[in-house]
Amino acid sequence: MANVAKKVSWSGRDRDDDEDGRVGETTPLLNGTGPGAAGSARQLTPSSFLRIGQLSNVDLNEDIHELETEIPRQRPNEIPHNEKLLSLKYESLDYDNSENQLFLEEERRINHAAFRTVEIKRWVICAMIGILTGLVACFIDIVVENLAGLKYRVVKDNIDKFTAKGGLSFSLLLWATLNASVVMVGSVIVAFIEPVAAGSGIPQIKCYLNGVKIPHVVRLKTLVIKVCGVILSVVGGLAVGKEGPMIHSGSVIAAGISQGRSTSLKRDFKIFEYFRRDTEKRDFVSAGAAAGVSAAFGAPVGGVLFSLEEGASFWNQFLTWRIFFASMISTFTLNSVLSVYHGNAWDLSSPGLINFGRFDSEKMGYTIQEIPIFIFMGVVGGILGALFNALNYWLTMFRIRYIHRPCLQVVEAMLVAAVTATVGFVMIYCSRDCQPIQGSSVAYPLQLFCADGEYNSMATAFFNTPEKSVVNLFHDPPGSYNPMTLGMFTLMYFFLACWTYGLTVSAGVFIPSLLIGAAWGRLFGISLSYLTKGSIWADPGKYALMGAAAQLGGIVRMTLSLTVIMMEATGNVTYGFPIMLVLMTAKIVGDYFVEGLYDMHIQLQSVPFLHWEAPVTSHSLTAREVMSTPVTCLRRIERVGTVVDILSDTSSNHNGFPVVESNPDTTQVAGLRGLILRSQLIVLLKHKVFVERANLNLVQRRLKLKDFRDAYPRFPPIQSIHVSQDERDCMIDLSEFMNPSPYTVPQEASLPRVFKLFRALGLRHLVVVDNRNEVVGMVTRKDLARYRLGKEGLEELSLAQT
């Protein structure tokens, strides 16, 4: 199992470089035992609780990487992967501020005027996040529109040419070749340059906001690859959308802007230094995710609710208002630029990348008799969503095991692109659903074998970008589609979208889900119209909207935010109640079978994700049973050589060290005095903040918080810091730099209580003490995420470097 990680991870490279640029190691399982030992009860003795100046191989969060010296092994043809693993490769973020003396002194110096200046900076950053996210969305939309339009015109002209004189196989070859070529470029840049840019990015951002550091997830390079990859995926004709990746793009923009510098470009603008810590960065990333939703759907309120429902692990009233401000600026920026681009500068008619169009509630209202019908559509959406997720789950497992090499991932993406074009061409070729072209809003009407003045209706679904196909299904008049056309399209597009999600390309699942649901929803509406002999209430466009909501809800399991997004995108609050009913029903039915798509992919990547609540049957477990032990502690005044040895030992991956008061000449241990992080110790060693043993009263070099912020977020590895033999004999006083008031729990505290404290406060380390305030263990994210509720009750996952 320990060999899985390097090809399974979201940033899967041949060697895993983490944020510090160090090379990945194989981390031992819990307590250095084999895979089976993680699930067994651990025998704890009083003497095993604590070690001072000694090391253990217990995970206390965040992997410390050693340089690999062994000969690289051959890549296996098959990678064994077990979804019941929890990865040790993911680090945690420090969402809890370390209230040491430096922090408190700085905070006390901030007067009312300085505090207002900091607040103004927060608003300025949120405005910049909104503007830049809107501009990126505009760039994607304009480039996709032009490139896709060029491709469809070339293929349409070719089909029209060969329809008359025969040889349509050349048209098929042209379409498939264009698709495969464009997708190949998009897949190559993702697979070989930045693998974490694959997919929509929503699972990765959910993990980041949950407190898990996904390597490279908010890098500038990731943003560039994401934007280029999305454009190429959509232009390449895959069953994908460009809306989902906007959430990831907005988050990357927020992370970069809020820090006032770019580590990728090695530029530091010396602004916003105050916000260079994980707590502040998390809040701005929440704003960026909301701005991405707002730009995608023209739904600022929906963006705020998305961040609340799907992402943020911490929330307050002021944060809500700032996030809403960023969302409004984002959609206004997009609207202004696209309106100017489309030639109606004063109209502001393009609030989002996709606009569902206005639904006339007078013509398309709903009655009380339709409520059971909507609930039934929610059930269908939940079942189809569960089927989609289950198929994608097994497909993803297959990809993890067999298609783990970048070259194979590119070949698969090209194959899917070619197959998508082939399926579309064959279905258009076989379709005899011809509709009159008068009054039609079809962008690229394809005549094929239809009579003059008519176009092939099947082509409007395949021969267009997915966003425009969704709007056509919502608003085309009754009779625009043959039921057989809708049925075949739904079936084929369902499997194409399922196959496409998880490819090594940048792409989202929002629009394909809406398109599938709109197709079967419109088919459902047509069937109702037949059964009720053309009743006015059985409008197919209305049922296309409900089907789209049901399908998307059944796949991603969003409720509150998706309700508001759909209402804002349609510009009609009338449908709020039926959309809510449909989404709730789809979620309940879908959850009965399998998890939501995003949660499923988080689980497949073995991420230590903490849900809102602890498993309901976990009250029988206590902190003593779940904590990691023994713990490596440091004395308040410690020898430099001891600190260096602890940080350098590759069998340990500790990142939080309890500080205890103890006489250096004895082994007698006193109570807990504080907690200090690995990153803080590295900065102290880098700046030589220590004194000679003979003169402990010597004035040390005075460090400021700026020194720690300058090293954030990529603290140097311990191997890069040189400490001479004379310096190893010096002493280091941790009193000023440690957090003197770390959160602690007694060892008899129940798991749900520990979980609630850990999750609500966004902790990284929770010290477990006995009744004498002596350290007996440490609870970290992986200790809590290890327990989850399975089909047979509470189960404990194994820990491995996966």
Side-chain angles (χ1 to χ4, degrees):
M1 295 297 181
N3 296 332
V4 179
K6 298 175 184 175
K7 300 299 179 293
V8 177
S9 69
W10 270 321
S11 57
R13 302 172 182 277
D14 292 347
R15 56 187 183 87
D16 254 344
D17 293 348
D18 70 355
E19 293 293 312
D20 297 335
R22 291 168 284 170
V23 183
E25 68 168 350
T26 301
T27 303
L29 299 186
L30 187 65
N31 288 345
T33 57
S40 62
R42 285 169 282 175
Q43 299 298 322
L44 304 179
T45 61
S47 62
S48 69
F49 282 136
L50 183 65
R51 295 182 185 178
I52 296 185
Q54 297 179 2
L55 305 177
S56 68
N57 59 2
V58 181
D59 170 60
L60 289 185
N61 222 333
E62 194 178 337
D63 48 342
I64 299 305
H65 301 282
E66 64 174 300
L67 296 173
E68 293 181 348
T69 56
E70 61 185 48
I71 299 173
R73 289 185 292 268
Q74 293 292 324
R75 288 178 178 175
N77 292 325
E78 176 187 357
I79 288 184
H81 181 62
N82 184 354
E83 67 275 17
K84 296 193 180 210
L85 288 176
L86 203 61
S87 176
L88 294 176
K89 76 178 289 294
Y90 293 108
E91 307 171 8
S92 287
L93 295 162
D94 290 301
Y95 282 168
D96 180 42
N97 288 324
S98 177
E99 292 193 346
N100 54 24
Q101 290 183 28
L102 297 182
F103 178 83
L104 294 176
E105 287 173 7
E106 181 182 83
E107 292 296 311
R108 287 166 186 154
R109 285 197 301 268
I110 296 180
N111 54 27
H112 183 68
F115 175 76
R116 290 182 65 85
T117 302
V118 170
E119 277 298 298
I120 291 171
K121 285 182 178 179
R122 285 195 176 98
W123 286 93
V124 169
I125 291 172
C126 287
M128 293 173 67
I129 290 169
I131 292 171
L132 288 176
T133 303
L135 291 176
V136 167
C138 290
F139 175 77
I140 292 174
D141 189 62
I142 292 171
V143 174
V144 166
E145 181 180 337
N146 284 279
L147 291 182
L150 176 63
K151 185 191 81 171
Y152 287 128
R153 282 194 297 273
V154 168
V155 176
K156 178 183 181 303
D157 293 343
N158 191 272
I159 291 177
D160 290 341
K161 172 184 174 183
F162 283 104
T163 301
K165 64 179 187 179
L168 277 173
S169 56
F170 291 104
S171 301
L172 168 59
L173 187 62
L174 173 67
W175 194 359
T177 303
L178 284 175
N179 275 16
S181 301
V182 173
V183 169
M184 180 190 72
V185 178
S187 182
V188 164
I189 62 175
V190 172
F192 288 95
I193 300 178
E194 197 53 84
V196 79
S200 65
I202 296 177
Q204 292 92 318
I205 295 303
K206 281 187 67 172
C207 291
Y208 185 91
L209 295 175
N210 190 259
V212 182
K213 181 189 284 186
I214 307 296
H216 308 270
V217 73
V218 288
R219 294 273 187 90
L220 176 62
K221 185 169 69 171
T222 304
L223 174 64
V224 174
I225 299 301
K226 194 85 179 182
V227 170
C228 297
V230 166
I231 292 171
L232 294 168
S233 299
V234 177
V235 172
L238 292 175
V240 298
K242 57 182 182 286
E243 282 68 22
M246 277 309 305
I247 297 165
H248 190 183
S249 301
S251 300
V252 179
I253 291 169
I257 292 295
S258 64
Q259 303 304 292
R261 69 178 177 189
S262 170
T263 49
S264 299
L265 299 178
K266 295 180 172 55
R267 295 293 303 273
D268 191 343
F269 301 99
K270 301 297 181 184
I271 56 174
F272 308 142
E273 285 186 326
Y274 181 81
F275 305 117
R276 289 178 185 173
R277 58 179 184 263
D278 288 338
T279 314
E280 297 285 354
K281 196 172 180 179
R282 169 198 60 194
D283 292 347
F284 290 119
V285 169
S286 298
V293 174
S294 181
F297 297 97
V301 179
V304 176
L305 294 177
F306 175 86
S307 274
L308 174 61
E309 181 181 6
E310 286 294 301
S313 55
F314 175 80
W315 205 263
N316 63 37
Q317 185 177 1
F318 298 109
L319 182 61
T320 306
W321 191 231
R322 287 198 301 270
I323 289 179
F324 183 58
F325 176 68
S327 297
M328 288 296 297
I329 294 293
S330 175
T331 192
F332 179 76
T333 302
L334 178 79
N335 206 340
S336 302
V337 175
L338 287 186
S339 296
V340 171
Y341 174 75
H342 293 306
N344 45 0
W346 305 106
D347 194 13
L348 294 180
S349 57
S350 304
L353 292 182
I354 181 171
N355 186 3
F356 293 159
R358 300 215 169 258
F359 284 77
D360 191 343
S361 55
E362 293 183 5
K363 295 181 181 178
M364 297 173 60
Y366 67 94
T367 62
I368 192 70
Q369 294 92 341
E370 291 180 85
I371 297 298
I373 298 175
F374 295 147
I375 294 175
F376 175 74
M377 293 185 74
V379 172
V380 174
I383 293 172
L384 289 178
L387 176 62
F388 184 100
N389 292 358
L391 291 175
N392 190 261
Y393 174 86
W394 293 112
L395 181 59
T396 304
M397 287 289 289
F398 178 83
R399 283 178 174 139
I400 288 173
R401 287 173 175 165
Y402 297 101
I403 312 179
H404 45 267
R405 299 182 185 177
C407 55
L408 293 178
Q409 294 168 344
V410 173
V411 170
E412 187 197 16
M414 293 175 63
L415 175 64
V416 174
V419 169
T420 302
T422 304
V423 168
F425 184 88
V426 170
M427 292 184 67
I428 293 170
Y429 183 85
C430 296
S431 173
R432 295 296 179 265
D433 184 8
C434 298
Q435 302 292 337
I437 203 168
Q438 289 83 6
S440 172
S441 59
V442 181
Y444 308 103
L446 197 62
Q447 182 179 358
L448 208 60
F449 300 118
C450 294
D452 291 342
E454 294 184 337
Y455 68 94
N456 189 301
S457 183
M458 179 69 82
T460 62
F462 273 108
F463 209 66
N464 217 335
T465 57
E467 290 83 359
K468 291 179 180 176
S469 298
V470 170
V471 177
N472 289 341
L473 287 169
F474 284 166
H475 295 290
D476 281 353
S480 298
Y481 298 92
N482 186 292
M484 181 61 72
T485 299
L486 292 173
M488 290 299 297
F489 174 79
T490 301
L491 181 65
M492 298 308 300
Y493 208 81
F494 180 90
F495 289 107
L496 286 175
C498 185
W499 189 12
T500 304
Y501 189 79
L503 289 177
T504 311
V505 294
S506 298
V509 76
F510 271 77
I511 299 304
S513 303
L514 290 173
L515 184 52
I516 295 166
W520 68 255
R522 190 176 182 96
L523 178 61
F524 189 83
I526 293 173
S527 303
L528 275 181
S529 182
Y530 284 157
L531 292 174
T532 57
K533 295 182 173 52
S535 295
I536 186 67
W537 55 266
D539 188 286
K542 173 175 58 179
Y543 288 99
L545 175 65
M546 297 303 159
Q551 186 66 52
L552 183 54
I555 290 174
V556 301
R557 310 290 161 77
M558 291 159 52
T559 51
L560 177 64
S561 56
L562 192 53
T563 301
V564 176
I565 287 171
M566 297 290 285
M567 287 167 53
E568 289 185 281
T570 57
N572 194 329
V573 75
T574 306
Y575 293 124
F577 180 67
I579 288 174
M580 184 182 71
L581 269 182
V582 164
L583 289 173
M584 284 297 296
T585 307
K587 176 176 172 57
I588 292 170
V589 173
D591 284 342
Y592 179 79
F593 296 104
V594 292
E595 290 182 297
L597 188 64
Y598 299 142
D599 292 328
M600 184 179 295
H601 277 261
I602 290 172
Q603 178 183 321
L604 280 171
Q605 298 298 336
S606 305
V607 178
F609 187 89
L610 295 181
H611 295 279
W612 288 104
E613 299 287 344
V616 292
T617 59
S618 59
H619 278 85
S620 59
L621 293 172
T622 64
R624 181 188 179 95
E625 295 171 277
V626 303
M627 68 186 182
S628 293
T629 186
V631 183
T632 300
C633 293
L634 296 172
R635 301 179 181 91
R636 188 177 59 81
I637 299 177
E638 187 60 271
R639 182 173 166 271
V640 172
T642 302
V643 175
V644 172
D645 290 341
I646 288 174
L647 298 182
S648 301
D649 193 288
T650 54
S651 65
S652 166
N653 51 5
H654 292 57
N655 286 276
F657 301 92
V659 179
V660 297
E661 187 69 68
S662 178
N663 188 334
D665 298 326
T666 69
T667 57
Q668 182 180 1
V669 179
L672 176 70
R673 292 293 177 265
L675 182 78
I676 193 162
L677 301 176
R678 171 182 291 272
S679 57
Q680 294 172 315
L681 291 171
I682 285 177
V683 173
L684 297 183
L685 293 174
K686 179 182 177 182
H687 290 278
K688 312 291 185 185
V689 185
F690 34 76
V691 297
E692 296 178 9
R693 179 185 290 272
N695 187 7
L696 293 181
N697 295 323
L698 185 66
V699 178
Q700 307 175 50
R701 183 193 165 210
R702 179 71 174 175
L703 281 187
K704 296 181 179 179
L705 275 183
K706 181 181 183 302
D707 295 304
F708 294 90
R709 289 170 181 158
D710 286 343
Y712 176 85
R714 302 183 202 174
F715 296 96
I718 186 63
Q719 291 86 353
S720 68
I721 298 174
H722 175 70
V723 179
S724 67
Q725 189 60 44
D726 290 339
E727 289 172 335
R728 287 178 61 89
D729 292 330
C730 294
M731 304 300 289
I732 184 168
D733 189 350
L734 306 178
S735 305
E736 190 179 7
F737 311 102
M738 69 182 185
N739 182 2
S741 54
Y743 291 100
T744 62
V745 290
Q747 55 187 338
E748 300 305 324
S750 68
L751 175 60
R753 191 170 187 83
V754 173
F755 189 99
K756 186 179 295 185
L757 182 66
F758 197 97
R759 178 73 164 81
L761 297 175
L763 302 182
R764 185 176 185 179
H765 305 98
L766 183 59
V767 185
V768 183
V769 296
D770 60 14
N771 54 8
R772 295 181 297 173
N773 198 37
E774 293 181 2
V775 179
V776 294
M778 184 88 83
V779 175
T780 63
R781 168 177 295 274
K782 298 178 183 71
D783 295 321
L784 297 176
R786 208 168 66 231
Y787 297 93
R788 75 177 185 195
L789 195 62
K791 293 182 179 179
E792 300 178 358
L794 191 67
E795 59 185 18
E796 184 178 358
L797 305 183
S798 300
L799 299 179
Q801 180 69 21
T802 64

